[in-house]
Structure formats: C-alpha cells, structure tokens
Amino acid sequence: MAQFIFVTGGVVSSLGKGLASASLASLLQHHGYKVRIRKLDPYLNVDPGTMSPYQHGEVYVTDDGAETDLDLGHYERFTGVTSKKSDNITSGKVYQKIIAKERKGEYLGATVQVIPHVTNEIKEFVSKDLGDEDFVICEIGGTIGDIESLPFIEAIRQFHNDNGHENSLFMHVTLVPYIASSGELKTKPTQHSVKELRSLGIQPNILLCRADREIPEDERRKIGLFCNVKGDCVIPAINANSIYEVPINFLNEGLDKRVLEYFRLEYKKEIDLKMWSQVSKRILEPEGSVEIGIVGKYTGLADAYKSLNEALSHGGIYNNVKVKLNWIESEELNSSNIENKLNNCHGILVPGGFGERGAEGKITAIKYARENKIPYFGICFGMQLAVIEMARNILGIKEANSSEFADCKESIVGLMTEWSNIDNTTEKRTKESDLGGTMRLGAYDAKLKNNSKVREIYDAELISERHRHRYEVNNNYAKDFESNGVHFSGYSPDGLLPEIVELKNHPWFIGVQFHPELKSKPFDPHPLFKSFIEAAKNKT
Ligand code: GLN
C-alpha cells in the first residue's frame, strides 16, 4: 500500500503549499519512489471551470479532460507525472455525488450527515484510482480554521486512524513572520495554528516554516516544544530566488530524510539534484533577454496565466535568455496607442480567453504583429481572433467575427455543436447547454501537414495537446485563406476541426486551438515555446 502525506496550511494563505508538495514529491522521486499528488479543495464549486481567473487563478486542464486547480500544474511541472481527473476533488463534487445518491434512495433511509457520509466520500477519493505509487501526497486547500475545510480535516484524521499511524504523515506549512519593530521572528502564529490543528485531532509530524530569513536554532526548538513536534522536524522554508531552488533548499534542510525516517524507509543515498540546479542557474543567470507583450484581460493577476508564464520562462531556459513579460490590458489598446505600447516587444502573444470585452484590442495587436513581422503566438482565443483579423484584413470580410459575441453574419469562429470524443462517442452541444464542464476538454490528437512550420517545430506528424474551448474556426473559409498565404497546418485526425493556423510570409506567426502551455516542463520545455522565444531572440 502507498504511504500518504497530508499537507495542510496555517496562519495565512499563499504560503506555497502546492510548491512545497511538488518539491517534496520531486525529492522522493529522486530517491527512486513513485509519487502521485492530489488536491482537496474545500470550496463549493464542483470545479474551478466556471470561476473567474480573478477568483481562482488559472484553470488547469488534465489530459483526461478535468478542469482543475492550478496547483495540479505545479505538480506536473515538478514531477512530470500526468495528473488525472481523480487527482482533484472539491466540496461541490462531494456534495453533488452525495445528493445524487440520496435522491436515488441509496442511503436506505439513513440521515445523510457530514460524518460519516461526507468524510467517507473524501476518504474514498484519497485512496481511489491508484496504481503502484509508493507515496500519495494530498494537499488540502485553504487555511486551518476555515469552516469549509473542517470535513476534509476530519476525513484525513480518520484516514490516519483507519490506516495505521505509520502509513500516513501530516505536514503543516506555516508562517514565521519577521516583526521589524522588535527585530525578531515570531513563532506565536505557528503555535496558534498548530493548536487549532491539534484541537481538530491532528498532530503534525513535520512543520514547514516559511520565513524571509534564517530561523535561529533556538526559535526552531521553541516551535518544536510548543507544537509537540521533534526539533529536527521543524524545517525552515526560506524564500527562494527561484521556485526551482525549493527542492534543493528542502534537501539541504533534510526534509526528505525526515519523511523517509518517519516511514522507516532507508535513506539510501545522497541524491543529485543537478536537474534543478541547472534550471535555476539558467533562470538566475541568463545571457540575454527578450520582451514578450501579452495582450490579455486579466493582466493584473499573474496567477490567471500561471502555466503560460511558466511555459514562456521554460522557452527562456532553453534559449538561455530571461523572458520579460509586458502585460498589456487589451481593453486599453487601440490603433493610436499600439505603436507606443508594443514597439519594444520582440514577440506578441494573445492567450486563451472568453467573451467580447477586450477582443477588439487583441485583434488590433494581432494586426500589428502580422504587419510588422513581429513573432506572434496565438493560443486558443488568440488563434480564433487571429483568424478573424486575417478574414477582415486579408480576405476583406469586414463583418468577420465570432458567434461567441453575437449572432454575426460571417461566423469565422462558430459554436462547436458536435465533435468526436477520444473514445469515439459523439459530443453534442447547443447554445442553451450548461456552461460548467461542457467545453471540448482534455487531450485530443492533431495531424500536422508536411512542409509546415509546426511539422518542423514538433518534428512529428501526430501530436496530442490539451483543449478547453467551446468555439471553433469555421473550416468553410479554409480555401480562401490558403490561397492568400494563411495555412491551416494542423487538423483533428478526421480532418474536420482546424487546430493550427500559420502564416507563410512571416518570420513566426502561429495560432493553436489548444493550450500547449499546460504540458511544458522546466526540464522539458514545450517545442512551440522553445521556437517562439528563439524567434523573439532573433529580433533582439
Ligand atoms: N472563448 C473561446 C472558446 O470558447 C476560446 C477559449 C479559450 O481561449 N480557452 O472557444
């Protein structure tokens, strides 16, 4: 049976529990163990798919078509293990299942309650759909003390009892703040957070203490004493220069050693984290820089485009340059200020997006990139708008638009009403369908045309990429486009859905219907991002 590690957070949110879980997983992998990381989210949405990026940051899509928490992106980027639908649960999902069962009469007259029915569902989630993993790391979203997370905390407490204490470990991530007026690091918030956790029946085995400076030995001992945790299991997590240094820092602080000791597993060898030191070095000591203009709608919140930021930086790692991101709010962009806002950019990118607001600004940016031969990368919405821009300005179809915005005369981009699933079943949609979980989601194959730029970039004919969209490029205009230098170089294997568009007389102009950023890894940058940053570098 796998060993379970439960990761909770205390004091404040945003302490980097996700990164901590992913970094620990990477260390365990380096020791030769097979890991899986799961996220338990206490909010009531069934999934984050319908939440605004401002609420929840990016929606991360898995190969098997789940819309999940962005932490699953960290997990994949740090471990290379492909996440699955069964790796993310929310209170909404738990209650949805329970209420459906109750309506069917499956509880046989019982009163349905948080304990045991909700906690049982959570426990089942924790251990289901596993293979031969040695470790399963479960991160509990939110902060100890939140009302929403109580059933989750109770469920992991029970799990620990049910499965034997030696088979599960509790790691609590807390904050040790520095108070400038007294010139001291303060341990009290950590003490309170652990007190709260213990009042819920959980005694943490390891404390990971976030701080902006070294935590002196005395303070560590004090935390251990007040929190009933062994002194050497109070582990400092000092702010790192790059997220990729975190596994190295954890190794130096002995986190892997403490975890293996707890489970009575042998600490076989000193492990070599060359992989992470090389990546960190490239990030911290680049040889040049490129500036990429990202024209989007949620530019005020970096988490809204988490995987995109990461994938661009991976392209920089590969090309040994720092990728500076210039976020441009599309609503503020028009033909009179565009030169001013974009003329320093070596590449322009329009990411995925929804809705009409800001779309015209994005189209203006695409026109600028196309006409001025600046490398352009359009992702999902950014591809659809590129096709609209070229329909208007190359084919002369002035009313070209997307039916996402309004019923338009020339739907260059229209609602997908039917498509084939990976399992060959047919998916049908109408305008009236629910919004939650009803897009074309997850990994689909695409066939690349010979003699195209993307064929060269991928060095493959068949690719698989993750999708999340409701609209598609209307293939009826393909012929006209092709005779005007606009090449549809990738299609769904049945030849019906345009997946990639590229421009012939342009140094780098590619739009893709899928989200390549979701599969990029720091140690294995995505080919499109490598090539895009290379094209931008050629512009410097
Ligand atoms: N709004 C567009 C659609 O639904 C694009 C979606 C996206 O960029 N992810 O098809």
Side-chain angles (χ1 to χ4, degrees):
M1 183 184 149
Q3 311 282 22
F4 289 81
I5 299 173
F6 295 103
V7 182
T8 53
V11 185
V12 290
S13 59
S14 304
L15 286 181
K17 273 184 308 205
L19 272 177
S21 305
S23 301
L24 172 59
S26 172
L27 290 184
L28 294 170
Q29 281 181 318
H30 278 84
H31 281 287
Y33 295 107
K34 190 165 172 196
V35 294
R36 173 134 235 117
I37 319 181
R38 306 195 134 164
K39 178 84 195 274
L40 289 73
D41 277 313
Y43 55 72
L44 282 171
N45 302 62
V46 172
D47 61 42
T50 56
M51 270 192 254
S52 152
Y54 274 130
Q55 287 286 312
H56 195 261
E58 160 190 274
V59 174
Y60 190 76
V61 180
T62 59
D63 265 352
D64 60 1
E67 295 177 285
T68 68
D69 187 78
L70 56 75
D71 274 319
L72 273 79
H74 288 311
Y75 306 161
E76 276 202 30
R77 284 188 288 272
F78 272 71
T79 63
V81 176
T82 305
S83 304
K84 296 204 260 175
K85 221 176 229 165
S86 54
D87 291 329
N88 191 196
I89 198 181
T90 67
S91 292
K93 212 172 256 166
V94 172
Y95 279 97
Q96 190 184 45
K97 193 169 164 197
I98 289 177
I99 289 168
K101 272 195 193 167
E102 186 274 334
R103 292 289 81 187
K104 274 197 187 156
E106 287 187 19
Y107 291 107
L108 305 173
T111 307
V112 184
Q113 294 180 301
V114 172
I115 304 172
H117 301 102
V118 171
T119 46
N120 281 353
E121 288 295 340
I122 297 171
K123 285 194 285 184
E124 192 192 316
F125 160 78
V126 163
S127 50
K128 86 166 185 213
D129 195 22
L130 292 173
D132 55 349
E133 284 83 359
D134 300 298
F135 287 100
V136 180
I137 300 179
C138 293
E139 178 192 346
I140 321 293
T143 308
I144 290 303
D146 295 346
I147 290 178
E148 286 93 345
S149 59
L150 287 176
F152 289 89
I153 304 301
E154 169 60 14
I156 61 173
R157 184 197 67 74
Q158 291 176 14
F159 189 95
H160 183 72
N161 263 353
D162 299 346
N163 292 283
H165 292 206
E166 63 286 1
N167 295 318
S168 55
L169 176 156
F170 293 115
M171 181 165 98
H172 190 55
V173 185
T174 78
L175 178 70
V176 179
Y178 178 76
I179 304 298
S181 54
S182 64
E184 280 176 317
L185 282 166
K186 290 294 183 188
T187 65
K188 197 69 92 192
T190 296
Q191 294 178 38
H192 277 293
S193 175
V194 173
K195 192 169 160 209
E196 180 87 30
L197 196 56
R198 291 175 70 197
S199 75
L200 300 172
I202 290 184
Q203 168 61 55
N205 308 104
I206 292 180
L207 291 178
L208 207 52
C209 302
R210 287 294 307 273
D212 67 354
R213 63 202 64 213
E214 288 297 325
I215 306 177
E217 194 51 47
D218 274 359
E219 300 303 309
R220 288 169 65 171
R221 220 172 297 130
K222 184 169 158 195
I223 294 173
L225 186 63
F226 280 88
C227 298
N228 193 30
V229 171
K230 284 199 317 204
D232 61 0
C233 288
V234 178
I235 296 184
I238 314 295
N239 297 351
N241 297 318
S242 130
I243 55 172
Y244 305 117
E245 281 185 344
V246 176
I248 303 174
N249 295 351
F250 283 180
L251 176 78
N252 293 339
E253 298 292 353
L255 176 63
D256 53 336
K257 228 179 205 151
R258 300 289 92 84
V259 168
L260 294 177
E261 260 168 28
Y262 179 90
F263 289 113
R264 298 182 202 287
L265 291 165
E266 206 185 329
Y267 187 85
K268 281 182 240 150
K269 55 177 175 56
E270 293 297 327
I271 54 175
D272 180 4
L273 293 187
K274 217 176 354 195
M275 168 177 129
W276 292 123
S277 52
Q278 277 168 353
V279 167
S280 298
K281 188 167 185 306
R282 286 264 176 137
I283 291 269
L284 299 172
E285 297 164 26
E287 277 168 9
S289 73
V290 297
E291 183 163 327
I292 304 295
I294 304 185
V295 185
K297 233 176 18 180
Y298 303 101
T299 52
L301 180 79
D303 267 2
Y305 301 107
K306 189 77 207 162
S307 297
L308 179 66
N309 294 348
E310 293 297 318
L312 284 164
S313 115
H314 304 161
I317 292 173
Y318 178 80
N319 287 287
N320 216 356
V321 289
K322 179 177 171 58
V323 180
K324 290 192 197 150
L325 304 182
N326 181 2
W327 296 98
I328 297 149
E329 192 54 53
S330 53
E331 267 189 303
E332 291 163 12
L333 206 58
N334 53 52
S335 46
S336 45
N337 63 13
I338 191 140
E339 175 69 28
N340 215 347
K341 296 218 180 209
L342 290 178
N343 71 359
N344 285 332
C345 296
H346 306 110
I348 294 172
L349 189 148
V350 174
F354 293 84
E356 190 165 18
R357 186 169 67 80
E360 289 303 319
K362 294 178 189 176
I363 290 176
T364 309
I366 296 167
K367 182 165 183 277
Y368 180 84
R370 182 173 61 76
E371 291 179 343
N372 292 287
K373 306 238 181 283
I374 302 169
Y376 173 72
F377 195 179
I379 295 182
C380 204
F381 202 40
M383 176 231 198
Q384 297 174 355
L385 294 178
V387 176
I388 292 172
E389 187 277 318
M390 294 189 288
R392 287 183 191 173
N393 300 315
I394 299 182
L395 303 188
I397 308 172
K398 290 288 162 244
E399 307 211 40
N401 220 327
S402 167
S403 57
E404 179 171 359
F405 312 147
D407 283 330
C408 55
K409 279 204 198 117
E410 299 276 359
S411 298
I412 298 292
V413 175
L415 181 70
M416 298 183 78
T417 49
E418 193 173 310
W419 68 89
S420 313
N421 285 323
I422 311 165
D423 59 5
N424 279 334
T425 53
T426 305
E427 199 76 39
K428 289 197 179 172
R429 293 282 180 265
T430 68
K431 275 206 151 151
E432 283 70 43
S433 297
D434 282 354
L435 290 183
T438 55
M439 282 184 266
R440 184 179 183 225
L441 288 167
Y444 286 88
D445 287 347
K447 243 182 161 167
L448 309 184
K449 298 239 170 97
N450 280 333
N451 301 323
S452 64
K453 199 171 192 103
V454 283
R455 181 84 164 77
E456 201 180 295
I457 292 173
Y458 275 94
D459 193 20
E461 193 190 352
L462 194 68
I463 59 163
S464 168
E465 293 282 4
R466 297 183 195 171
H467 292 66
R468 181 176 185 248
H469 60 115
R470 190 168 278 121
Y471 296 83
E472 64 177 319
V473 170
N474 186 339
N475 203 26
N476 293 340
Y477 298 85
K479 263 212 177 94
D480 276 357
F481 273 125
E482 293 284 348
S483 48
N484 282 282
V486 182
H487 185 33
F488 287 96
S489 52
Y491 271 92
S492 55
D494 59 9
L496 296 178
L497 304 175
E499 290 273 9
I500 306 177
V501 64
E502 60 182 70
L503 209 48
K504 289 212 164 111
N505 294 316
H506 192 285
W508 210 100
F509 190 103
I510 295 178
V512 294
Q513 185 59 80
F514 44 81
H515 289 271
E517 71 276 22
L518 300 175
K519 285 177 61 168
S520 188
K521 317 267 185 317
F523 47 85
D524 183 18
H526 190 285
L528 284 171
F529 284 90
K530 290 200 277 196
S531 173
F532 176 57
I533 298 299
E534 188 180 3
K537 193 174 162 187
N538 291 339
K539 273 272 173 194
T540 57

